[in-house]
Amino acid sequence: CSSDLTGLAKGKQSGLLVPSDKVDGSITLLRGCNLLGRDVVTLKSDPYMVVYYPNLSTPVYRTDTQTNTLRPEWVGCDPIPVDKDDSEATITIDVWNENPLPEKDNFLGRASIPVSELPASDSNELTLKLAPRPKEKDADIARLVNRLGEIVLSWKMQGSVGGRLVKPSSTAAAMGEKITEKAGPRVAAAASE
């Protein structure tokens, strides 16, 4: 679950760190529901999610790919630290269908929530409806705007993460690393569209 500014690697969190005195809580990706099936044979998808925070130019997390499902669950994803006082920040989550090379991955939908709209209470599950990107180029996504599904994440206040920044051991390896896995450059380029 990860990224740096050049691309994204599976199963790692990026080196973007919120100073520990600024961490108010964390989000954790849980599952997708009723996602769009993009595989023409199985009518399913191989979904993964990419998280951007505090803005779309900063990818910070990439989940592992769940195969052949419209209801993926991500177990054991690392929490992503959030500074709730950053009223300008937005958490944006893109959902993708992974394809074998040389095919491009398919965009499945985007959900966003401004940090200022995160609940003031602890331990909330948030359900976010997926939508097309602005100026969506994919005709299927634009046409099926009301049937793209939703994602569920959890929001936990600082006390739930021990009042400190949670930094998984894989973070150090991800920092500064040139990403070579197949989904990296495709997602980074598509996010800027």
Side-chain angles (χ1 to χ4, degrees):
C1 301
S2 125
S3 92
D4 68 4
L5 293 178
T6 63
L8 301 166
K10 300 175 190 176
K12 296 179 191 166
Q13 188 169 335
S14 79
L16 176 74
L17 301 177
V18 177
S20 59
D21 63 335
K22 295 284 189 182
V23 174
D24 295 311
S26 65
I27 62 162
T28 304
L29 304 172
L30 299 177
R31 62 187 169 274
C33 304
N34 304 315
L35 300 180
L36 184 62
R38 296 298 295 249
D39 186 315
V40 294
V41 175
T42 66
L43 302 178
K44 304 271 179 151
S45 285
D46 299 322
Y48 63 91
M49 292 194 278
V50 178
V51 179
Y52 299 85
Y53 170 76
N55 54 53
L56 271 173
S57 66
T58 313
V60 295
Y61 203 78
R62 185 211 193 272
T63 66
D64 293 327
T65 301
Q66 302 295 308
T67 57
N68 202 30
T69 182
L70 302 179
R71 300 180 68 78
E73 292 193 27
W74 286 276
V75 179
C77 282
D78 296 317
I80 301 166
V82 174
D83 175 5
K84 194 150 173 14
D85 292 331
D86 187 355
S87 60
E88 300 292 315
T90 297
I91 299 166
T92 301
I93 303 160
D94 284 350
V95 183
W96 294 87
N97 173 53
E98 186 171 89
N99 287 315
L101 288 174
E103 292 181 50
K104 289 185 175 183
D105 291 352
N106 308 105
F107 180 74
L108 297 178
R110 171 177 286 172
S112 295
I113 184 167
V115 169
S116 61
E117 292 180 18
L118 289 168
S121 58
D122 187 25
S123 298
N124 288 278
E125 272 196 10
L126 305 173
T127 300
L128 305 175
K129 187 175 173 69
L130 293 175
R133 295 170 286 198
K135 301 178 184 177
E136 183 60 56
K137 295 176 185 175
D138 186 319
D140 288 336
I141 296 294
R143 181 174 50 84
L144 299 170
V145 65
N146 293 319
R147 298 190 325 209
L148 298 180
E150 48 195 29
I151 58 171
V152 179
L153 52 94
S154 71
W155 161 249
K156 294 188 179 190
M157 295 295 286
Q158 181 176 356
S160 301
V161 291
R164 59 180 167 66
L165 177 64
V166 178
K167 182 178 175 186
S169 59
S170 60
T171 300
M175 292 173 63
E177 176 181 36
K178 293 293 182 192
I179 305 302
T180 58
E181 295 203 36
K182 70 177 187 173
R186 287 193 256 171
V187 174
S192 63
E193 292 178 355

